């Protein structure tokens, strides 16, 4: 567990001004010069009140962060993570509330909040490159889950540009493909979240210029507008009935004042027939927002019909007996095959409830 104390002088800090953190496990043998850099998730804060709450926990302050164990894509055993187990493995902690995009020079005076997520990202990457030896990397994978999975898309080309042309660089987004969709009341609720995040954190200048040159900045927080502009190979892992998106994109509380979706949001098995129809339509819209299979030969996809959120961090969803299957393939194998160019698959599951291998839950 590495606290970057020297980052404080550069203003590269968590929401409360504390130093950024990453966890590091050194590579060995054939993996000594290979790196997987995985960014933690945890939503966003879109106003001073939400960000102030985060200052009191690990989502906004490294004072509350503790050591953690690595599993899934970060796991260290050959059996359970055959393609990445002996790589240099990094988990970048998330304490800025902007998917590592913010950079406002002024400190928010009333509540003493720092909006510096992009500075945190750059400073951690610089430390990995210059102190840990990532500048000598042969193979690199930038990955993340949820808000970190979004960051893996938003920073993908920028990450690629940190390395010489001889380094193989790819990006992997787990549960980061947030849909620009309408909620059950017909409003673009997700769009309003991102508009507020971009404004509060000063994110626009750090979003991909390949998108912001054509679209309003808040739309460039949505992968469907960024991915077609990327130069770097990408793998998209997402549940078609993403449990976080059902709660916050499709049926957010403001769109459901009578709480008719309360049970359905907690457990897909509790959804009424009409709610299931709405969920099937959400899946249809989600699939339509994905890059078209065949559009990019380097694009990997694994879209299972699970009611889950983040499936690469826990061993039982990544690669284990009973892990989710699409076309008889587990997630860890599909990602490894894609990274190593054994097979680039674009697997899209049949609709719910057809997949008995799902683990329906949220992992951050």
């Amino acid at each position: 567990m590495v606290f970057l104390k020297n980052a404080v002088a550069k203003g590269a800090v968590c929401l409360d001004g504390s130093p950024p953190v990453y966890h590091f496990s050194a590579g060995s043998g054939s993996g000594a010069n290979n790196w997987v850099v995985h960014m933690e998730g945890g939503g966003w804060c879109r106003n001073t009140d939400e960000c102030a709450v985060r200052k009191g926990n690990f989502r906004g302050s490294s004072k509350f962060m503790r050591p953690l164990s690595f599993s899934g894509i970060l796991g260290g055993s050959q059996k359970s993570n055959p393609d990445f187990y002996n790589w240099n493995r990094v988990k970048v902690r998330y304490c800025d509330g902007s998917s590592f995009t913010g950079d406002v020079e002024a400190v928010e005076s009333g509540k003493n909040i720092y909006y510096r997520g992009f500075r945190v990202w750059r400073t951690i990457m610089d430390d990995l490159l210059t102190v840990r030896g990532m500048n000598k990397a042969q193979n690199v994978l930038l990955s993340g889950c949820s808000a970190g999975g979004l960051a893996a898309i938003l920073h993908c080309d920028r990450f690629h540009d940190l390395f010489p042309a001889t380094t193989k660089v790819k990006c992997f987004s787990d549960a980061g493909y947030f849909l620009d969709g309408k909620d059950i009341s017909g409003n673009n609720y997700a769009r309003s979240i991102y508009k507020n995040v971009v404004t509060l954190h000063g994110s626009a200048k750090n979003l991909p210029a390949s998108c912001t040159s054509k679209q309003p900045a808040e739309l460039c927080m949505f992968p469907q507008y960024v991915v077609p502009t990327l130069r770097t190979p990408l793998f998209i892992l997402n549940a078609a009935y993403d449990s976080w998106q059902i709660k916050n994109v499709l049926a957010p509380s403001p769109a459901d004042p009578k709480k008719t979706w309360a049970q359905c949001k907690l457990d897909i098995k509790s959804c009424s027939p009409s709610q299931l129809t709405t969920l099937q339509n959400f899946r249809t819209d989600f699939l339509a927002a994905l890059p078209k299979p065949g559009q990019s030969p380097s694009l990997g996809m694994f879209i299972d019909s699970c009611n889950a959120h983040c499936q690469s961090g826990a061993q039982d969803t990544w690669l284990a007996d009973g892990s989710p299957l699409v076309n008889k393939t587990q997630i860890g194998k599909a990602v490894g095959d894609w990274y190593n160019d054994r097979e680039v698959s674009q697997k899209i599951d049949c609709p719910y409830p057809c997949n008995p291998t799902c683990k329906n839950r949220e992992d951050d």
Side-chain angles (χ1 to χ4, degrees):
M1 188 173 183
V2 180
F3 288 81
L4 286 182
K5 302 263 179 17
N6 61 347
V8 177
K10 301 177 198 160
V13 292
C14 300
L15 288 164
D16 71 333
S18 59
V21 167
Y22 66 85
H23 303 259
F24 174 66
S25 184
S28 62
S30 60
N33 286 318
N34 299 337
W35 292 74
V36 55
V37 178
H38 185 82
M39 294 175 286
E40 184 180 34
W44 308 274
C45 58
R46 60 196 154 155
N47 55 51
T48 53
D49 288 347
E50 289 182 358
C51 294
V53 168
R54 288 180 176 231
K55 286 175 60 181
N57 60 54
F58 66 87
R59 297 252 187 265
S61 170
S62 59
K63 293 177 196 158
F64 299 94
M65 293 179 188
R66 301 290 175 262
L68 44 76
S69 57
F70 281 0
S71 61
I73 193 171
L74 293 175
S77 108
Q78 184 168 7
K79 178 179 178 289
S80 53
N81 190 24
D83 286 296
F84 308 107
Y85 75 98
N86 63 352
W87 289 28
N88 296 278
R89 288 162 290 125
V90 179
K91 184 164 190 172
V92 179
R93 298 302 297 269
Y94 178 47
C95 63
D96 63 88
S98 72
S99 282
F100 301 97
T101 62
D103 192 353
V104 177
E105 181 62 39
V107 179
E108 201 281 317
S109 53
K111 295 190 164 74
N112 204 31
I113 305 170
Y114 297 78
Y115 302 111
R116 303 283 177 74
F118 182 65
R119 283 196 215 182
V120 166
W121 189 83
R122 277 306 314 240
T123 303
I124 289 178
M125 295 307 133
D126 287 346
D127 194 75
L128 294 173
L129 288 161
T130 58
V131 177
R132 300 280 166 195
M134 191 169 74
N135 58 336
K136 299 191 284 291
Q138 293 166 331
N139 298 289
V140 196
L141 178 61
L142 180 68
S143 75
C145 132
S146 192
L150 175 60
I153 291 173
L154 299 179
H155 290 329
C156 181
D157 282 348
R158 182 181 277 121
F159 182 75
H160 196 166
D161 292 341
L162 297 174
F163 298 92
T166 49
T167 306
K168 177 173 167 178
V169 182
K170 296 189 179 188
C171 304
F172 167 53
S173 173
D174 174 10
Y177 208 92
F178 297 95
L179 178 67
D180 179 24
K182 291 207 184 309
D183 64 36
I184 51 173
S185 67
N187 292 320
N188 292 90
Y189 184 70
R191 220 179 257 199
S192 70
I193 294 178
Y194 283 154
K195 190 175 177 72
N196 291 337
V197 168
V198 167
T199 304
L200 181 70
H201 292 265
S203 302
K205 59 190 174 291
N206 298 317
L207 295 172
S210 56
C211 177
T212 54
S213 60
K214 304 193 272 289
Q215 305 266 16
E218 66 268 18
L219 290 188
C220 296
M221 293 282 285
F222 288 105
Q224 67 203 75
Y225 307 117
V226 173
V227 169
T229 74
L230 291 183
R231 296 175 274 113
T232 309
L234 174 70
F235 192 107
I236 299 165
L237 165 63
N238 225 100
Y241 309 88
D242 184 305
S243 51
W244 192 94
Q245 294 202 51
I246 289 168
K247 286 180 196 147
N248 297 283
V249 176
L250 179 63
S253 300
D256 183 31
K258 295 188 175 147
K259 299 196 167 43
T260 50
W261 277 75
Q263 291 308 114
C264 177
K265 279 161 50 165
L266 288 174
D267 179 10
I268 197 167
K269 294 190 208 58
S270 306
C271 300
S272 68
S274 69
Q275 287 171 333
L276 278 175
T277 301
T278 302
L279 290 181
Q280 300 298 11
N281 292 338
F282 178 84
R283 171 180 176 267
T284 302
D285 293 344
F286 182 83
L287 296 181
L290 290 167
K292 302 292 161 277
Q295 200 175 34
S296 163
S298 64
L299 176 81
M301 284 198 285
F302 192 105
I303 310 297
D304 56 23
S305 287
C306 303
N307 180 218
H309 185 67
C310 287
Q311 301 178 94
S312 67
Q315 197 56 55
D316 66 341
T317 46
W318 174 247
L319 193 68
D321 292 340
S323 290
L325 298 165
V326 177
N327 301 349
K328 298 182 179 159
T329 305
Q330 294 179 325
I331 293 164
K333 181 169 191 324
V335 175
D337 285 349
W338 160 81
Y339 189 89
N340 290 302
D341 305 304
R342 295 188 296 257
E343 183 195 357
V344 178
S345 59
Q346 300 176 338
K347 298 183 189 301
I348 296 186
D349 208 353
C350 48
Y352 176 85
C354 72
N355 192 334
T357 64
C358 283
K359 307 262 187 273
N360 291 333
R361 55 142 207 266
E362 287 187 49
D363 291 314
D364 233 354

